[in-house]
Amino acid sequence: MVGTRSEREGAYGGFHHPNQGYRHLQMRALITVSGPLSSGLPADPELAALDLLRAYAHDCLHYGSFRSYRLRGDEIVRTQYGVNFRRYDGRTYSAPDLAGSPTTRNLGVVMEGACDREARAIARQIARRLDITRSEGMTAYVFRDVTGTLTATDTAALSRPAHRATHAPTEPAAAFLESMGKYQESVNARYGRFLADVGRDEAADLHTAVLRATLSGSLTGLSAWLDHRHGPRSFASLFLNPGYPVRFPG
């Protein structure tokens, strides 16, 4: 479902618009057209198309990821999503990352990062093929976010309210930039560092193995890849939360 217009003053749509994204139980994705949402028409059709492509690819990967549910009394409990597992009491296979961590060992972040990395690679390829680029202001940040080319300097700049205000046309647009920076720092930058630390020269191959495991729900290929390079039971060594009772592979 694509939102094209908002009555909220100054609303700015796109991948980081509040409360949009894939809904697991409803099996639907809610996205908005990139840019000001006052007229119902995109202010920058090319950039809006790239943003929609990124969001569509991202949510399709979430839709296609393996998941299993169980009934516990009257409650529906998701016990597996991709390569992450969860007990009935809410305990997950991997623990949350520490605040400020530059990398990740949380499987939720790993899978989210893998889906977005792939989606942004698709958008980047199309942008290059059609020679689409944006170099100034708000649209430049949106373009770099959509195509996966945000830098550490960008992320640091987006953390500063004064800097966001100089590039955003409205307060909601500034909030959009803030959300963009936080997502980049907490998901994409951490996932990129994870690939570099664990995959090293084979980071691209590790990304492929993570994505395949997420879609299939099978740890076999990913575990074999990790064990071959880092020794036996590497999946558990990297990701297992000490407080999680192991009843699954890995």
Side-chain angles (χ1 to χ4, degrees):
M1 299 179 66
V2 182
T4 61
R5 184 176 180 274
S6 173
E7 294 182 356
R8 187 165 60 98
E9 184 177 354
Y12 195 96
F15 187 82
H16 301 287
H17 185 76
N19 300 317
Q20 78 167 41
Y22 179 68
R23 269 66 173 163
H24 289 274
L25 286 179
Q26 296 89 339
M27 302 289 279
R28 288 181 178 271
L30 309 175
I31 58 181
T32 52
V33 171
S34 178
L37 294 174
S38 57
S39 69
L41 295 173
D44 187 330
E46 288 184 335
L47 191 57
L50 284 179
D51 183 80
L52 285 171
L53 177 61
R54 181 258 193 107
Y56 180 77
H58 180 109
D59 288 343
C60 279
L61 289 168
H62 283 319
Y63 179 90
S65 296
F66 181 87
R67 81 283 311 278
S68 65
Y69 297 92
R70 298 286 188 274
L71 276 175
R72 185 172 178 81
D74 295 330
E75 183 183 9
I76 298 175
V77 179
R78 192 177 73 211
T79 54
Q80 182 179 350
Y81 175 59
V83 294
N84 201 8
F85 307 95
R86 181 167 61 187
R87 303 299 300 163
Y88 291 125
D89 60 8
R91 284 179 290 175
T92 58
Y93 189 95
S94 60
D97 294 321
L98 296 176
S101 173
T103 187
T104 185
R105 294 297 184 269
N106 178 271
L107 287 170
V109 175
V110 167
M111 293 189 297
E112 175 73 11
C115 289
D116 202 44
R117 187 182 186 91
E118 194 71 12
R120 295 191 305 169
I122 293 170
R124 184 166 62 249
Q125 182 180 27
I126 297 302
R128 289 173 178 171
R129 184 177 299 176
L130 299 180
D131 195 27
I132 301 172
T133 186
R134 298 292 183 272
S135 58
E136 296 181 355
M138 178 87 179
T139 58
Y141 277 118
V142 174
F143 176 81
R144 291 199 292 274
D145 178 58
V146 166
T147 56
T149 53
L150 283 172
T151 65
T153 300
D154 288 332
T155 305
L158 290 174
S159 69
R160 300 195 296 270
H163 181 84
R164 296 194 301 266
T166 63
H167 289 77
T170 63
E171 185 176 335
F176 184 94
L177 287 178
E178 181 180 18
S179 179
M180 176 192 295
K182 288 180 177 179
Y183 185 82
Q184 174 66 17
E185 184 176 33
S186 63
V187 176
N188 287 312
R190 285 183 180 179
Y191 179 63
R193 180 69 175 270
F194 161 78
L195 292 178
D197 290 346
V198 178
R200 299 170 187 170
D201 293 339
E202 299 175 281
D205 292 336
L206 174 57
H207 167 66
T208 298
V210 168
L211 200 60
R212 286 176 173 168
T214 297
L215 295 173
S216 68
S218 171
L219 295 181
T220 302
L222 177 58
S223 292
W225 195 99
L226 293 169
D227 289 351
H228 179 68
R229 290 154 181 83
H230 298 284
R233 293 185 56 78
S234 288
F235 185 89
S237 297
L238 285 168
F239 301 115
L240 180 61
N241 181 350
Y244 185 87
V246 178
R247 295 184 182 180
F248 296 97

